Amino acid sequence: MQKLLGMLVPAMLFVFDVFGQNPTCNLSISGFVKEAEDQEVVPFATIYIKELGTGTATDETGYFRLDGLCEGNYTLVCSHVGCDHAVEKVELKDSTQLNFALSHSAANLTSIEVIAKPVEQQSIGSLQKLDGLKLQESLQGTLAGTIANLPGVSILSTGATIAKPVINGLHSDRVLVLQNGIKIEGNQWGTEHAPEIDPFSAGNIEVEKGAGALVYGPEAIGGVVSVKSPRLPSEPGLEGSAFLMGESNGQVLTSALRLSGKWGEKFPLSGSIQGTYKKGGTLQTADYFLANTANENLNFQWQLAYAGKNWDVQSFYSQYNATLGIFSGSHIGNLTDLQRAINSETPLVTGEFTYDINRPYQEIEHEITKISGNYLLGHHEKIHLTVARQFNRRQEFDAHKPGGSADAGATPETQFELTTWNMHSYWEHKVLNHISGKLGVQASHQVNTTDRGGLIPDYQAQTIGLYLTERWKNYPFPWEFEFALRSDWKKLEAQFRNEDDFSRTFSNFSGSIGALYRPKTNWNVSANFASTWRQPNVSELFSNGVHHGVAAFETGDRNLQPEVAYRLGIDIQAGETGKAKLDISLYNQFIQDFIYLNPQQEFELTIRGAFPVFAYEHANAHLYGLDAQGSLPIYSGLGAEGKVSILRARNLELNDWLPLMPADRFSIAATFNGMDLKNGFPINLKFGFQHVFRQTRVADNSDFAPAPDAFTLLFAQASYEKEWANQTLRLTLKGENLANQSYRSYLNRFRYFADDLGRNISLSAQLIF
């Protein structure tokens, strides 16, 4: 690690030096846009340079900055909805400050063309976003698969059909997954339960690594994954999109349709409706079919929003439905066959292609109902309120019970039902000229029932949290500072059938402080220190039995204490899109009473079969590493990009390695952007490989089988985007594991029984109208 840092630091300094040099075009124009009448700042006003055809927009403080300008004469046009344009001519010889004063227009503008996007507030920490064509190129059947190519993100999978995101070695309750601001609660049932979110319904997906986002909850030790629906239209009329994707492995077909519209200016009601249907057959490794891995999804959601003069209200509903086949070769009837299956290079059970789903399998239903609203108190102040209900039903069908396929109306051996009510309210404010933030409160009430016996007991939980975040910035001063403070309380009551009820109360404080240094628009560095905590969830405390989805016998420990984490993160960004770019994220984290699932080197024979045993244990832990990604243009659209993720995770009490941590990995790709065909249609190409090292940092004799070998996977993709007559067509052709490599991932909990997936070719098309 020290050697790696020793090489990276000089490289970064060289990059910063290169980006900082521009002997001919290094001038800038900056200033503020204010209202002529009362001198109030005007956020998100557009400043456009006629001669260059480029521009920018003011941030929420009314500040703008245009860099990289040469000496010369320029005409700057400043515009904002409801205001008259302001025009200034500048003879630029040195960097100049220029302020605009906009007057309100006496007549309504018939139209306005937005030249530049609003300036978004820079995150103090590592923040990555997928949207537009970039999101379509990344889409997979699961949320975890969709974001898995981002630096520092990997997948904890259970066979071929269940996956959840892992960020810097942390997953489950340590990574908060949000759908339109609502925390998905299925993690309470264990590490195998993937987020019940349809990635094909997303307008954008944001991944924020680190513990600075305390507004979402104290448990964000690993980070936050936020899935947001596409924005509702701002102009009257009807619009929408149609999506279709086919995949060769499993012969999967996915279709999605979205319609949205706005009623009119006099009645400002807008809304949308979206649906997704996905059906896939038996999945295949390089050498054999994975029996009973077909799956089917039917999901839909709708939104409504009404905007008044100083207020607005939105409603949202989503339903996720999935039937997931569980690989038959993971459920073994006796101890002898279980040991033989683990030692074998091929599964004891293989299959053939079919769309049928038989035992074992899962039926999942997840619903979110949400109502939220905002009331504007002033130019920089508002009150927000959200009330939401979340319902999650999971039915598990055993492999060793008689019954037919998934559509035969069989009775599940285990059924969980989790109902959660959430409330979130905050005051967004600006207390001083350069300080703004939020003061908020969150509360929840949760009830879980388990029918016909199960891995965990029935329980109820109540939580309440208070938080305050403040941020100071004063452009053009290059420093920004942010802090957050949070207090949380939770009460958990579990009900058992054959013993006394159990009750525990948890409470603690969380806090973070961060700084951002941005001397120029093309590079910045930020640092964040945070102390957060997480109470043990129900599966960690009370598990005692067969965890059907992972084909394992799991035991909890009701004496587990809350985790307390201390994290320092440093993030460096240099360059900009279309030019040389380098992003590096360094992190160092200590977690007191870290809870982990440890293989027990024993098997359990039950009436449901023979299973390996895992136990939830705790230890003080140290996790540190780096994530980096970079891109380099070479010549005329040809470029290269690379990513690397390195993690070290130590059990400080045993002075040994922690289990189930991602192995080091890197990827390299060649890119070609904007290749013109005869008709002038741009096509973007990418091809490369990802190499995952063997996870050698594993305690001796601590697992049922040795860590799998290293592997290298080839990939390629071609994407095309064409706009015409207010319509956009996006096409993506993608190939994964092109060499059809046989391999097993250390983070696949079914690696004891079978290989991972073989070659997959997918073609997707999206029409936005």
Side-chain angles (χ1 to χ4, degrees):
M1 186 67 166
Q2 292 178 344
K3 292 182 179 179
L4 180 61
L5 292 177
M7 292 185 291
L8 283 175
V9 171
M12 288 186 291
L13 294 176
F14 172 76
V15 171
F16 297 156
D17 183 63
V18 171
F19 285 131
Q21 297 177 13
N22 196 332
T24 57
C25 298
N26 59 354
L27 304 180
S28 66
I29 301 175
S30 61
F32 287 88
V33 179
K34 297 184 178 181
E35 296 179 2
E37 291 81 3
D38 55 13
Q39 293 299 299
E40 284 284 337
V41 298
V42 180
F44 311 136
T46 299
I47 296 88
Y48 177 64
I49 302 178
K50 279 188 174 182
E51 289 78 5
L52 301 180
T54 61
T56 187
T58 59
D59 63 12
E60 61 269 23
T61 70
Y63 176 79
F64 72 92
R65 184 183 178 105
L66 294 158
D67 286 297
L69 302 178
C70 304
E71 293 185 6
N73 296 316
Y74 299 107
T75 304
L76 279 75
V77 180
C78 180
S79 60
H80 190 262
V81 176
C83 297
D84 293 326
H85 292 3
V87 180
E88 294 284 348
K89 294 183 179 294
V90 177
E91 183 181 357
L92 191 64
K93 295 182 178 179
D94 298 296
S95 293
T96 301
Q97 286 196 339
L98 178 66
N99 297 326
F100 289 92
L102 295 181
S103 299
H104 289 284
S105 176
N108 291 327
L109 296 175
T110 57
S111 65
I112 182 169
E113 181 181 3
V114 178
I115 305 298
K117 294 181 179 180
V119 176
E120 296 184 359
Q121 180 167 277
Q122 178 75 34
S123 171
I124 298 182
S126 175
L127 178 67
Q128 289 142 342
K129 180 185 291 188
L130 294 174
D131 56 11
L133 181 60
K134 189 176 180 181
L135 175 59
Q136 180 172 329
E137 291 173 346
S138 303
L139 276 172
Q140 302 281 347
T142 64
L143 174 65
T146 299
I147 65 175
N149 286 326
L150 295 176
V153 180
S154 48
I155 299 177
L156 177 66
S157 59
T158 305
T161 56
I162 300 172
K164 67 195 317 175
V166 180
I167 299 180
N168 296 149
L170 303 176
H171 55 82
S172 301
D173 273 351
R174 302 180 191 96
V175 175
L176 299 189
V177 180
L178 311 175
Q179 182 174 15
N180 285 349
I182 303 301
K183 174 189 170 187
I184 303 301
E185 294 286 349
N187 285 325
Q188 302 292 337
W189 290 334
T191 59
E192 165 263 354
H193 299 285
E196 298 90 353
I197 293 181
D198 174 17
F200 300 96
S201 68
N204 68 75
I205 301 175
E206 294 181 355
V207 178
E208 183 172 358
K209 289 181 287 185
L214 294 183
V215 65
Y216 302 112
E219 307 99 327
I221 296 174
V224 175
V225 179
S226 180
V227 181
K228 301 177 182 178
S229 300
R231 289 186 177 182
L232 296 174
S234 57
E235 299 294 332
L238 184 67
E239 59 187 49
S241 66
F243 178 87
L244 189 66
M245 183 169 77
E247 301 176 71
S248 63
N249 197 331
Q251 300 182 32
V252 183
L253 181 65
T254 303
S255 59
L257 178 65
R258 175 183 174 83
L259 297 174
S260 58
K262 185 175 181 181
W263 187 270
E265 296 295 342
K266 293 184 178 180
F267 186 61
L269 178 69
S270 56
S272 69
I273 185 169
Q274 188 271 345
T276 302
Y277 178 71
K278 173 189 171 187
K279 187 176 181 65
T282 309
L283 296 167
Q284 192 173 6
T285 71
D287 302 311
Y288 48 82
F289 284 100
L290 295 167
N292 199 47
T293 51
N295 62 91
E296 187 173 12
N297 289 69
L298 178 60
N299 315 311
F300 66 91
Q301 64 179 37
W302 57 258
Q303 296 181 85
L304 283 176
Y306 184 88
K309 182 178 181 182
N310 296 315
W311 58 275
D312 61 75
V313 62
Q314 306 91 34
S315 61
F316 171 79
Y317 176 83
S318 71
Q319 186 174 123
Y320 174 96
N321 300 275
T323 303
L324 305 176
I326 306 297
F327 173 51
S328 301
S330 65
H331 285 245
I332 312 298
N334 59 73
L335 295 174
T336 301
D337 286 345
L338 176 59
Q339 187 64 65
R340 189 160 60 93
I342 292 176
N343 294 335
S344 175
E345 293 186 359
T346 58
L348 301 185
V349 178
T350 58
E352 58 185 20
F353 182 81
T354 178
Y355 284 104
D356 294 338
I357 302 175
N358 297 301
R359 290 175 175 271
Y361 67 94
Q362 294 182 350
E363 293 272 6
I364 302 165
E365 177 188 349
H366 184 264
E367 299 178 13
I368 293 178
T369 305
K370 168 188 168 183
I371 298 177
S372 62
N374 300 286
Y375 184 78
L376 300 180
L377 300 175
H379 193 62
H380 296 288
E381 292 187 83
K382 72 176 181 181
I383 296 292
H384 173 88
L385 175 64
T386 292
V387 178
R389 176 185 180 269
Q390 186 176 166
F391 174 74
N392 198 342
R393 177 187 291 121
R394 186 179 297 267
Q395 297 176 327
E396 301 189 347
F397 297 82
D398 197 355
H400 302 293
K401 292 284 186 178
S405 61
D407 58 359
T411 301
E413 278 62 61
T414 302
Q415 175 174 289
F416 305 94
E417 290 187 340
L418 185 68
T419 303
T420 309
W421 286 90
N422 298 99
M423 185 279 293
H424 182 198
S425 180
Y426 62 80
W427 168 43
E428 187 174 297
H429 55 269
K430 188 171 185 179
V431 293
L432 296 173
N433 192 32
H434 304 298
I435 300 177
S436 58
K438 291 180 181 179
L439 175 64
V441 57
Q442 293 172 313
S444 70
H445 175 72
Q446 187 173 80
V447 177
N448 177 83
T449 59
T450 305
D451 296 338
R452 289 174 289 280
L455 184 67
I456 60 173
D458 295 347
Y459 72 88
Q460 296 185 16
Q462 295 82 35
T463 66
I464 188 167
L466 301 171
Y467 67 87
L468 173 67
T469 67
E470 299 292 345
R471 183 157 178 159
W472 180 92
K473 61 178 178 179
N474 181 17
Y475 287 107
F477 190 71
W479 285 93
E480 298 178 33
F481 301 96
E482 183 180 57
F483 89 92
L485 184 65
R486 185 180 179 104
S487 175
D488 287 273
W489 172 91
K490 178 174 183 176
K491 184 177 182 180
L492 175 66
E493 297 175 287
Q495 296 84 42
F496 297 89
R497 288 175 172 82
N498 300 316
E499 57 181 290
D500 295 337
D501 293 347
F502 182 89
S503 177
R504 282 185 71 178
T505 301
F506 307 93
S507 63
N508 209 335
F509 289 92
S510 306
S512 71
I513 185 169
L516 171 69
Y517 180 61
R518 182 168 48 182
K520 296 184 179 181
T521 57
N522 62 349
W523 80 273
N524 64 74
V525 58
S526 64
N528 176 272
F529 175 77
S531 172
T532 59
W533 71 288
R534 181 187 74 93
Q535 73 280 349
N537 65 34
V538 174
S539 63
E540 295 166 336
L541 291 169
F542 306 119
S543 290
N544 186 26
V546 176
H547 195 162
H548 167 272
V550 292
F553 191 97
E554 296 181 354
T555 60
D557 182 355
R558 62 184 62 187
N559 295 315
L560 291 172
Q561 298 301 310
E563 296 177 345
V564 179
Y566 304 93
R567 186 184 194 276
L568 174 64
I570 299 175
D571 296 276
I572 303 164
Q573 299 178 356
E576 53 189 290
T577 302
K579 300 180 181 179
K581 188 174 182 180
L582 177 67
D583 295 347
I584 296 178
S585 177
L586 304 165
Y587 57 93
N588 192 7
Q589 185 161 235
F590 291 89
I591 305 178
Q592 181 180 330
D593 290 315
F594 177 76
I595 302 170
Y596 62 101
L597 199 59
N598 198 26
Q600 295 300 293
Q601 286 295 291
E602 62 182 274
F603 301 129
E604 184 78 15
L605 182 62
T606 73
I607 59 173
R608 301 174 68 180
F611 301 94
V613 178
F614 294 80
Y616 285 102
E617 300 178 359
H618 68 94
N620 294 336
H622 181 201
L623 290 80
Y624 58 98
L626 70 86
D627 306 318
Q629 64 176 345
S631 59
L632 179 67
I634 298 175
Y635 177 77
S636 186
L638 180 65
E641 64 180 36
K643 302 172 187 176
V644 60
S645 294
I646 297 173
L647 169 67
R648 301 293 179 265
R650 299 288 295 178
N651 183 326
L652 297 180
E653 295 187 6
L654 299 178
N655 192 27
D656 212 334
W657 302 107
L658 285 168
L660 290 177
M661 290 292 168
D664 296 341
R665 63 194 61 211
F666 72 90
S667 66
I668 298 175
T671 61
F672 197 91
N673 297 323
M675 183 178 71
D676 291 334
L677 302 179
K678 292 183 179 180
N679 295 328
F681 296 159
I683 289 182
N684 299 327
L685 303 175
K686 179 190 293 187
F687 61 91
F689 67 91
Q690 180 190 54
H691 181 78
V692 180
F693 292 89
R694 184 173 184 266
Q695 181 55 286
T696 58
R697 288 163 292 280
V698 180
D700 294 336
N701 301 316
S702 64
D703 207 341
F704 303 104
D709 293 333
F711 57 89
T712 302
L713 304 180
L714 302 180
F715 62 85
Q717 70 179 37
S719 58
Y720 159 87
E721 185 174 46
K722 176 66 177 178
E723 296 183 6
W724 80 98
N726 296 322
Q727 298 180 93
T728 301
L729 176 64
R730 295 171 178 160
L731 298 175
T732 299
L733 176 64
K734 184 164 56 176
E736 300 166 291
N737 192 7
L738 288 175
N740 208 25
Q741 175 75 35
S742 296
Y743 72 100
R744 298 192 183 193
S745 169
Y746 178 68
L747 289 188
N748 188 339
R749 295 196 63 184
F750 279 3
R751 65 180 173 86
Y752 305 114
F753 310 110
D755 291 346
D756 273 270
L757 295 182
R759 181 188 299 114
N760 185 41
I761 307 296
S762 64
L763 175 63
S764 64
Q766 183 181 30
L767 177 63
I768 303 172
F769 52 87

